[in-house]
Amino acid sequence: QVQLVESGGGLVQAGGSLRLSCAASGDTFSRYVVGWFRQAPGKDREFVAAINRRSGGTYYSDSVKGRFTISRDNAKNTVSLQMNSLKPEDTAVYYCAAGARLILSSFQNGAQYDYWGQGTQVTVSS
């Protein structure tokens, strides 16, 4: 079992940057694919980015590609999401999630993840 805690959210102006962190405890972290999802008020949860287990292969939604960077440090049991050139439409609660049995084709499917953090609010003002 894995426990996930997000941090780093806040209020930023459009064009600014934030760095989110997801700290994991419990099971061997390197066994898990880790994804970031977000949910804005009144909208469905949306895939943002994911990073593979040991290989560190990364995957992004089209809406954040080129602006966000996901990375992981298995020695420190953390995954980060560097968010640059933020836009008001990036405003949402951001969640990290971990899944042990995910395959590449399912990285964007939140239902395939086993564990979720409590979320951290990101607000981008125009």
Side-chain angles (χ1 to χ4, degrees):
Q1 195 168 9
V2 173
Q3 293 78 43
L4 303 171
V5 178
E6 303 96 335
S7 61
L11 173 63
V12 64
Q13 288 189 330
S17 298
L18 280 175
R19 187 177 181 86
L20 304 184
S21 292
C22 176
S25 60
D27 199 358
T28 304
F29 187 54
S30 60
R31 295 179 55 229
Y32 293 83
V33 170
V34 178
W36 283 97
F37 292 77
R38 66 187 182 187
Q39 188 166 23
K43 294 188 176 182
D44 292 336
R45 184 176 60 196
E46 175 189 19
F47 170 78
V48 175
I51 188 163
N52 211 338
R53 300 170 180 82
R54 294 177 180 83
S55 70
T58 57
Y59 312 89
Y60 300 93
S61 68
D62 288 341
S63 62
V64 306
K65 198 173 295 182
R67 300 188 298 124
F68 290 12
T69 302
I70 188 172
S71 60
R72 71 188 296 161
D73 185 336
N74 287 332
K76 295 182 179 179
N77 287 355
T78 59
V79 169
S80 298
L81 184 69
Q82 178 66 42
M83 306 186 296
N84 298 330
S85 302
L86 282 162
K87 305 174 181 180
E89 51 263 44
D90 294 318
T91 295
V93 178
Y94 283 70
Y95 300 89
C96 70
R101 295 174 300 277
L102 286 158
I103 59 176
L104 178 58
S105 61
S106 62
F107 281 11
Q108 299 190 36
N109 184 350
Q112 297 298 314
Y113 288 76
D114 303 307
Y115 305 105
W116 292 80
Q118 82 290 348
T120 185
Q121 177 70 46
V122 171
T123 304
V124 184
S125 62
S126 57

